[in-house]
Amino acid sequence: LPLVESGGGLAHPGGSLTLSCVAADNTLDQYAVGWFRQAPGQEPEAVGCISRSGEYTNIVDTMRSRFTVIKDNARRKVFLLLTDLKAEDSANYMCSAIKIGYKCSLNSQVYDLWGQGTQVNVSA
């Protein structure tokens, strides 16, 4: 797969995790990146995205106070910071990428590169 996520695992309610996304060919600095998640039996949902430059971000309203997307173009990595985790945040978190030069999108159909995801489980 062209993208590789890491950093998932088990967290307690109220805890934090930092997820990472890299491109297999180490070119993620050239892409806008979106994060999506899918829980078993549920439809995929958007989490947030970041522009190619890293200057523009968009987080889903209900997650904006707890989640942050950061892009480190020098290291060619994108991070999704998850804080104050809740049980309902348990899901497979996937990053996606597209070569566009402006902003980013919360529409999954825009993206043409995907990773397999990293599982986040929030439980007491």
Side-chain angles (χ1 to χ4, degrees), residues 23 25-33 50-53 71-73 76-78 97-102 113:
D25 61 0
N26 200 28
T27 59
L28 205 58
D29 57 311
Q30 302 175 28
Y31 293 84
V33 174
I50 191 163
S51 65
R52 176 176 175 172
S53 69
K71 196 169 193 272
D72 184 341
N73 279 334
R76 298 184 176 91
K77 286 186 174 182
V78 173
I98 185 167
K99 271 191 181 180
I100 55 174
Y102 57 92
L113 299 179

